[in-house]
Amino acid sequence: MYSAVFFVGINNSQTVQPVVATERTVFYRERAAGMYSSLPYAMAQVFVEIPYVLLQTIYYTAIVYTMVSFEWTAAKFFWMFFINFFSFLYFTYYGMMTVSITPNEQVAAIFAAGFYLLFNIFSGFYIPRPKIPGWWIWYYWICPMAWTVYGCIVSQYHDANHEIMVPGMPNNPTMAAYIKDYYGFELDFMGPVAAVLVGFCVFFALLYATFLRTLNFQMR
């Protein structure tokens, strides 16, 4: 569940970079001619990604949700769809943002890759939040993947009261109790998780628009 969202998100980010980099060359030319304005152009690129990501999320969620054999309830399916959609979307906008602050797609790919590593480390999956050193906990809270993992696990298992076997634990905890104690997840925290995921999309889109307007890497 974690790796599927993470790697699809990285793929979205990597595939959008060459497209944005190529179109930026045309944008520089048309802006110099007075035909394009920065903000409408940036917003058009932001909005045009939504239908593609929506279609991607529909078939991805339908396939993966069935294969993983999650509980078939409308609420849980909707939450998984919601989390996937905004996670794929913020990865796409993140890729666009990295292009806007770098001179070409090659540098953008290198820059983005460094943060993929940080997203992976501080997602709260490999190192649960209670085990992250105190000084680094701030990065957990600003890591987009941490909120994706939070939403994926809590949305599907917040009411799972069956016991599970955990190596090294004398008693068999319930699934809900385990994710609360081991991962530090609050089981009624989906509202804030949803708001933050939407916020990351808006944040990366605004950064893209701002940097596209203020930075100019045109070579004469």
Side-chain angles (χ1 to χ4, degrees):
M1 183 166 57
Y2 162 76
S3 60
V5 176
F6 185 59
F7 287 113
V8 172
I10 290 178
N11 183 69
N12 279 18
S13 180
Q14 291 176 333
T15 53
V16 81
Q17 288 173 339
V19 177
V20 174
T22 301
E23 293 181 351
R24 183 174 60 178
T25 304
V26 179
F27 165 73
Y28 285 150
R29 182 188 67 203
E30 298 301 328
R31 183 174 64 176
M35 296 297 292
Y36 283 2
S37 181
S38 301
L39 186 59
Y41 174 82
M43 290 297 99
Q45 280 201 311
V46 166
F47 290 135
V48 80
E49 294 295 335
I50 295 177
Y52 293 103
V53 175
L54 180 62
L55 180 62
Q56 177 190 37
T57 307
I58 290 173
Y59 69 75
Y60 171 86
T61 305
I63 294 172
V64 172
Y65 199 90
T66 304
M67 292 180 64
V68 178
S69 190
F70 287 128
E71 182 181 355
W72 278 102
T73 64
K76 290 187 175 182
F77 183 83
F78 167 78
W79 275 120
M80 182 59 69
F81 179 88
F82 180 93
I83 294 164
N84 288 339
F85 175 72
F86 283 100
S87 297
F88 296 160
L89 198 61
Y90 75 61
F91 266 108
T92 302
Y93 292 160
Y94 170 74
M96 296 168 61
M97 183 271 294
T98 59
V99 173
S100 69
I101 61 176
T102 53
N104 53 60
E105 61 184 275
Q106 290 80 16
V107 178
I110 295 171
F111 176 85
F115 282 91
Y116 297 151
L117 176 63
L118 293 176
F119 289 173
N120 201 21
I121 293 174
F122 291 99
S123 64
F125 182 75
Y126 292 112
I127 308 175
R129 177 167 59 88
K131 296 185 179 181
I132 296 178
W135 162 244
W136 289 106
I137 198 64
W138 61 272
Y139 196 88
Y140 170 87
W141 292 114
I142 65 171
C143 175
M145 270 305 298
W147 294 91
T148 297
V149 172
Y150 204 132
C152 282
I153 294 179
V154 171
S155 67
Q156 302 304 311
Y157 299 119
H158 67 280
D159 58 350
N161 293 318
H162 57 278
E163 293 185 349
I164 59 174
M165 296 181 62
V166 181
M169 296 187 67
N171 300 319
N172 294 335
T174 63
M175 173 66 79
Y178 178 75
I179 63 175
K180 183 175 183 179
D181 294 338
Y182 183 76
Y183 288 104
F185 293 161
E186 295 297 331
L187 304 181
D188 57 350
F189 204 59
M190 285 305 300
V193 169
V196 171
L197 289 177
V198 175
F200 274 120
C201 294
V202 175
F203 176 68
F204 288 134
L206 289 177
L207 285 182
Y208 168 69
T210 301
F211 291 135
L212 186 68
R213 181 178 182 180
T214 58
L215 301 179
N216 190 338
F217 295 100
Q218 188 174 25
M219 303 296 293
R220 294 187 180 275

